[in-house]
Amino acid sequence: MADREQKKPRVLSGMRSTGKLHLGNYVGALDNWVKLQDSYECFFFVADWHALTTDYADTSSIKQNTMEVLLDWLAAGLDPERCTMFIQSHVPQHAELHLLLSMITPLGWLERVPTYKEQRENIKEKDLGTYGFLGYPVLQSADILIYKADYVPVGEDQVPHVELTREIARRFNMFYAGKRVVFPEPQPLLTPTPKLPGTDGRKMSKSYGNTIMLTDPEAAVRAKLKTMVTDPARVRRSDPGNPDVCPVGDLHKIFSGRETLAKVDAGCRTAGIGCIECKSWAANALVSVLAPMQERRRKYEENPKLAWDVIEAGGARASKICDATMNEVRQSMGLTKEYEPAPDAARAK
Ligand code: SF4
């Protein structure tokens, strides 16, 4: 801890550069990151190399996608004064650590990772039988360990990756650290994720085409809400419904205030309100969340160089920490650059 400027525990997390973010990304992760900024020393990065593990064949939009993620972060309230934001590929020290960690990572550990097995089975349109894709969690481990992060805020699906990171840290320490600890073991910081349905009632996801984007203008949000599915039991206006089984009801629970929630609950169950009215209230709530984000985004859209400045400053800060860790790593492994004369015994031969 002596090399740390602040006493706050350190948090690190990343998001793959998949382009513009939607409300599901916000509620599932970003919103939580924004809240962590003051209690932790936070590092957030756009994982463009991780995006390459699946989208390696065509890299023409990778930079644009990275930029969109960054703009959405700034829009959502990640504040360059209170956290460090950077882009993975701008800090190539991650790659050196990834290489070294790959030497000590048994294949079996990687083949057992649940996300690996699932994606190999489910994604058929791309060839994921690559070295890079298998190594995805090793790269993630390097991302985390190079900052000696204490906490990694992630969703449930990423917990096995943090577990693997802990195992790799332990193995590294055992081989190379002697009595010291080069890599402390990070803890996952589980993000409480309310279920956020998309317009079709399924989980909001880019691949389902049911998203509400953080950049959707008010008219688009209202139009999307109009077509959103509701409690199927409410066929006619006079049929009572149940907000607990209605995707619009779920949106209210996440975004609406107590008063509106009470009106929805009572009105829906007694058929006192219609779905059109109820949806317009949900749209109001969404618009009031999105409008300030879009306002913040405008400044950076008008002057994208400002966003790039954030990334350059963040990259420089990240790089300094990485250099310190990598010196320690190279030292531990006997990979330093200084000239060392051969030991006497060897010279005598
Ligand atoms: Fe859903 Fe609202 Fe209609 Fe009830 S009134 S079914 S909560 S949209």
Side-chain angles (χ1 to χ4, degrees):
M1 292 292 271
D3 57 333
R4 306 237 171 136
E5 291 169 21
Q6 309 173 41
K7 289 259 166 51
K8 290 177 187 171
R10 188 173 284 172
V11 151
L12 172 122
S13 198
M15 222 181 256
R16 289 186 305 140
S17 43
T18 49
K20 284 192 162 76
L21 302 179
H22 54 71
L23 265 180
N25 303 124
Y26 178 69
V27 168
L30 196 45
D31 174 37
N32 186 47
W33 293 7
V34 171
K35 291 179 187 139
L36 294 172
Q37 289 180 101
D38 290 318
S39 337
Y40 298 92
E41 185 198 4
C42 290
F43 292 79
F44 299 118
F45 70 97
V46 187
D48 52 352
W49 281 339
H50 275 106
L52 280 179
T53 60
T54 52
D55 296 313
Y56 54 82
D58 176 5
T59 55
S60 56
S61 47
I62 190 156
K63 194 156 185 188
Q64 187 56 37
N65 287 344
T66 298
M67 196 65 187
E68 294 291 355
V69 171
L70 174 66
L71 288 175
D72 277 331
W73 285 4
L74 293 163
L78 286 187
D79 175 359
E81 303 287 319
R82 291 185 291 150
C83 72
T84 300
M85 284 171 262
F86 63 95
I87 293 167
Q88 188 181 33
S89 67
H90 296 191
V91 190
Q93 293 92 325
H94 290 220
E96 187 189 356
L97 185 57
H98 167 250
L99 176 109
L100 295 174
L101 298 181
S102 77
M103 303 299 171
I104 64 168
T105 306
L107 273 180
W109 291 9
L110 297 177
E111 287 157 349
R112 275 197 300 273
V113 170
T115 49
Y116 176 74
K117 288 196 289 191
E118 275 159 30
Q119 300 207 39
R120 284 304 304 273
E121 280 162 25
N122 296 334
I123 301 180
K124 293 288 177 222
E125 68 279 10
K126 298 173 212 168
D127 180 5
L128 296 184
T130 60
Y131 178 50
F133 186 68
L134 179 67
Y136 185 111
V138 184
L139 179 57
Q140 185 163 349
S141 299
D143 296 337
I144 297 168
L145 295 177
I146 204 163
Y147 299 95
K148 305 189 181 194
D150 299 295
Y151 296 104
V152 186
V154 284
E156 200 87 58
D157 64 313
Q158 293 289 312
V159 170
H161 292 177
V162 182
E163 285 300 324
L164 184 85
T165 304
R166 294 162 60 87
E167 287 178 283
I168 292 177
R170 234 173 282 151
R171 195 163 159 91
F172 185 98
N173 291 335
M174 178 185 74
F175 282 146
Y176 311 119
K179 286 199 186 67
R180 294 170 314 131
V181 171
V182 172
F183 293 126
E185 292 180 32
Q187 303 276 356
L189 200 61
L190 258 186
T191 312
T193 40
K195 168 179 150 230
L196 186 82
T199 49
D200 60 358
R202 292 186 290 174
K203 179 185 151 103
M204 189 177 287
S205 159
K206 198 177 172 186
S207 52
Y208 292 154
N210 63 359
T211 56
I212 295 166
M213 308 305 290
L214 300 188
T215 43
D216 277 348
E218 173 164 359
V221 174
R222 295 197 181 277
K224 284 180 179 179
L225 257 287
K226 282 205 178 95
T227 65
M228 186 148 178
V229 301
T230 58
D231 176 358
R234 272 204 98 175
V235 183
R236 277 172 303 247
R237 169 69 178 77
S238 54
D239 296 330
N242 177 1
D244 292 336
V245 300
C246 173
V248 180
D250 290 333
L251 287 189
H252 276 296
K253 287 188 191 98
I254 298 169
F255 295 104
S256 290
R258 284 239 311 248
E259 231 169 278
T260 308
L261 266 177
K263 280 199 296 185
V264 168
D265 202 74
C268 178
R269 290 176 201 279
T270 58
I273 59 168
C275 290
I276 294 173
E277 193 178 7
C278 179
K279 287 171 157 187
S280 74
W281 297 341
N284 293 345
L286 293 188
V287 167
S288 71
V289 170
L290 296 181
M293 290 191 205
Q294 294 171 4
E295 181 56 40
R296 266 194 298 266
R297 200 181 208 270
R298 226 177 319 268
K299 167 173 118 189
Y300 293 103
E301 261 167 352
E302 281 161 10
N303 187 359
K305 180 66 173 59
L306 279 181
W308 213 248
D309 290 344
V310 168
I311 277 312
E312 277 176 1
R317 236 175 301 159
S319 195
K320 242 176 95 183
I321 295 170
C322 292
D323 283 339
T325 306
M326 287 316 297
N327 277 334
E328 216 183 323
V329 165
R330 291 187 209 110
Q331 202 96 46
S332 312
M333 295 182 72
L335 295 167
T336 51
K337 291 177 187 160
E338 290 82 44
Y339 171 72
E340 280 174 37
D344 283 349
R347 242 185 300 152
K349 280 197 198 139

